Amino acid sequence: MEQTFIMIKPDGVQRGLVGEIINRFEKKGFYLKGLKMVSVERSFAEKHYADLSAKPFFAGLVEYIISGPVVAMVWAGKNVVVTGRKIIGATNPADSAPGTIRGDLAIEIGRNVIHGSDSIEGASKEIALWFPEGVAEWQSNLHPWIYE
Ligand SMILES: Nc1ncnc2c1ncn2[C@@H]1O[C@H](COP(=O)(O)OP(=O)(O)OP(=O)(O)O)[C@@H](O)[C@H]1O
């Protein structure tokens, strides 16, 4: 089953949004396969955001991600990468639709609460980076009530 990497950023943790965010993915029908709270080193944050290293906001982004603990998760389900991005909303909360996490819970692009992988390939790279120990293999007993 398709998997994605979701991270609640330090602002989401500090603001007490962890339960609210997990609830949205759980209620949708996705399965939680990995979960941990971590404070990442600068070099790790730079690796995670390596694709953005040439951007003018890169240094600020790295400072933001290492400013406190984050909640790293792996979620599984049909189309979870694309649907996860829809649940999260547009990168800039000013453009995120109401009903999305960023649309409902954030104001500024540099404090946008959550990260989600942007492709299946990106997800597998990020899952390998964040969960080298692997994730839990399980399937909910509710599976036949969620999938035809
Ligand atoms: N112009 C900007 N100014 C400040 N921070 C920015 C800007 N653009 C992006 N960011 C930060 O960098 C992160 C990664 O940017 P990217 O373009 O990959 O967006 P995204 O894929 O929606 O976000 P994420 O990778 O966090 O899910 C954004 O979530 C945001 O926190």
Side-chain angles (χ1 to χ4, degrees):
M1 191 165 276
E2 188 174 306
Q3 295 187 335
T4 193
F5 173 69
I6 300 290
M7 169 181 54
I8 304 175
K9 295 176 177 177
D11 51 334
V13 173
Q14 294 288 346
R15 292 176 54 201
L17 300 176
V18 174
E20 163 86 30
I21 289 169
I22 289 178
N23 205 19
R24 291 185 182 212
F25 280 84
E26 261 187 335
K27 283 201 297 194
K28 173 70 176 169
F30 293 134
Y31 303 143
L32 183 58
K33 301 194 76 180
L35 173 73
K36 61 185 175 187
M37 188 169 207
V38 276
S39 297
V40 298
E41 303 276 341
R42 181 180 299 276
S43 58
F44 188 92
E46 286 171 350
K47 201 167 176 190
H48 172 76
Y49 279 123
D51 291 351
L52 301 175
S53 60
K55 301 279 185 190
F57 57 82
F58 181 71
L61 175 59
V62 170
E63 289 299 332
Y64 166 40
I65 296 305
I66 67 172
S67 65
V70 301
V71 174
M73 297 179 281
V74 175
W75 287 90
K78 188 176 180 183
N79 298 326
V80 70
V81 171
V82 166
T83 305
R85 297 274 291 185
K86 287 182 184 161
I87 290 171
I88 289 170
T91 305
N92 189 341
D95 303 325
S96 314
T100 65
I101 290 170
R102 289 170 176 160
D104 290 348
L105 305 173
I107 304 276
E108 291 211 323
I109 194 166
R111 295 288 182 273
N112 63 358
V113 171
I114 185 168
H115 160 82
S117 306
D118 63 4
S119 64
I120 292 176
E121 194 197 5
S124 66
K125 272 192 206 159
E126 291 175 356
I127 291 167
L129 177 66
W130 287 81
F131 288 89
E133 69 276 25
V135 296
E137 290 307 330
W138 71 289
Q139 193 177 75
S140 169
N141 289 336
L142 296 181
H143 195 78
W145 297 105
I146 299 169
Y147 292 89
E148 286 191 325

